[in-house]
Amino acid sequence: PELGDRRHEVQGTLAMTYQDLADFYDRDVRRLEERMARDSEAETPEVRQQVQTQIAKRNELLTKAIPLWEAGLAKRDDNPYAIAGLGKAYLMLGQDEQGIEYSRRYVQVARASQLGWRKKMKQWEDEVGKGVTTEQREFFVRKIQEARQNELKVHLMLGTVHMRREEYQLALDEFNAVLEIDPATPAALVERGQAEAKLGRYQEAVADIEAYLKLTDPERQRAARAKAADLLDRYRRMAGMTPVFEKTAPPAPALPASR
């Protein structure tokens, strides 16, 4: 009792648990859908029913999480966990407008957090001077980096949503934001390349796909790289350039000499 009403903290933890479980079901849905896309024989009535069952379970958990996140936001209107949770939950439910709104709101919170930690670090350095230890400085740097990475993830998610909605310039803006934070983000490079191609900027698309192939591992990301290689050849042709991965047909056998 001396701590006061901590109900909102318990609600936040429960909302996060629902969200984590929903993520588990969502990953299973994606895995099954990718399996059916790769192999037409895998698309059986049983597998389609399994996908629908997993989607229903995911959505049930998300609808339980949303009012808990909203309660946390009513308590504190800049609650980063509640804002991020609402953005992700609404997007997963297909309610794009609300999801995009909350996600953009989270980006502003993450940027404010970065500025706040930089200000605290500067104040601490001014107060302590040369007495600042490496561990103390690393603490502030870690907090700034965490906020930057969280912002990056949301930009990447928004870019993917805008691609699905065929809002290619908006998608491009989000992938640009990701690459401003970390220029070596493979997912943003390959996605930005596709957005650029949709906007008719084929040379820029080629450059991004080539950068993606340089950054990714040929063994661990073989399937994704194969798709990227196909995109690269397609975009090179559209840009009036020579494909690099396209296999040429073997020469036709010589006809026997007529007698």
Side-chain angles (χ1 to χ4, degrees):
E2 66 273 12
L3 294 176
D5 184 1
R6 316 300 289 183
R7 186 180 310 170
H8 66 285
E9 294 183 3
V10 178
Q11 289 176 330
T13 301
L14 184 56
M16 195 169 294
T17 302
Y18 284 142
Q19 184 78 57
D20 289 343
L21 289 170
D23 288 344
F24 174 82
Y25 284 112
D26 190 63
R27 286 194 296 271
D28 200 35
V29 168
R30 293 179 187 277
R31 179 182 62 81
L32 291 169
E33 289 177 339
E34 288 173 1
R35 177 179 156 198
M36 289 190 293
R38 289 194 308 268
D39 182 3
S40 59
E41 294 183 0
E43 189 173 350
T44 63
E46 292 78 13
V47 174
R48 288 197 295 271
Q49 180 58 51
Q50 187 179 359
V51 169
Q52 293 306 312
T53 300
Q54 302 298 72
I55 289 174
K57 290 179 178 179
R58 178 199 69 188
N59 292 353
E60 180 184 357
L61 289 161
L62 292 171
T63 54
K64 289 180 178 179
I66 284 174
L68 297 174
W69 288 133
E70 288 175 339
L73 204 57
K75 194 79 175 179
R76 176 185 161 194
D77 64 4
D78 64 343
N79 183 324
Y81 302 104
I83 296 171
L86 286 166
K88 186 174 183 180
Y90 279 122
L91 288 173
M92 290 174 73
L93 286 169
Q95 299 180 33
D96 289 351
E97 298 303 328
Q98 289 169 287
I100 290 170
E101 179 183 351
Y102 278 113
S103 297
R104 288 180 175 162
R105 186 171 165 185
Y106 178 80
V107 167
Q108 299 305 314
V109 171
R111 288 177 177 173
S113 176
Q114 294 169 52
L115 291 173
W117 283 111
R118 287 194 180 96
K119 184 177 180 180
K120 289 178 182 177
M121 182 169 67
K122 180 66 166 59
Q123 289 173 341
W124 182 252
E125 289 173 337
D126 290 343
E127 290 176 12
V128 179
K130 294 182 180 180
V132 176
T133 66
T134 301
E135 290 78 10
Q136 290 169 341
R137 186 172 285 106
E138 286 178 350
F139 169 81
F140 290 108
V141 170
R142 186 167 59 251
K143 290 293 185 181
I144 295 167
Q145 289 175 339
E146 286 174 359
R148 282 169 61 83
Q149 282 302 308
N150 288 336
E151 180 190 346
L152 182 152
K153 290 175 184 176
V154 173
H155 283 305
L156 192 57
M157 180 176 66
L158 283 171
T160 303
V161 170
H162 287 307
M163 286 293 289
R164 172 170 56 78
R165 289 162 59 93
E166 300 182 0
E167 297 167 343
Y168 301 120
Q169 184 57 55
L170 291 174
L172 187 63
D173 294 342
E174 297 296 341
F175 296 132
N176 283 337
V178 172
L179 294 165
E180 285 176 11
I181 296 171
D182 182 1
T185 305
L189 285 166
V190 73
E191 292 281 358
R192 187 174 73 173
Q194 292 175 80
E196 288 165 335
K198 290 292 186 179
L199 293 168
R201 305 171 188 174
Y202 297 114
Q203 291 186 345
E204 291 89 341
V206 166
D208 274 346
I209 303 298
E210 288 176 340
Y212 167 82
L213 290 170
K214 289 178 182 177
L215 286 172
T216 49
D217 186 276
E219 293 300 322
R220 295 174 59 186
Q221 295 161 299
R222 184 179 300 177
R225 285 171 56 86
K227 293 179 182 178
D230 289 340
L231 289 175
L232 179 59
D233 276 352
R234 186 191 311 168
Y235 299 157
R236 286 182 69 89
R237 284 193 296 271
M238 291 176 174
M241 304 164 71
T242 303
V244 293
F245 293 104
E246 189 175 62
K247 294 181 180 179
T248 57
L255 296 174
S258 58
R259 296 185 179 179

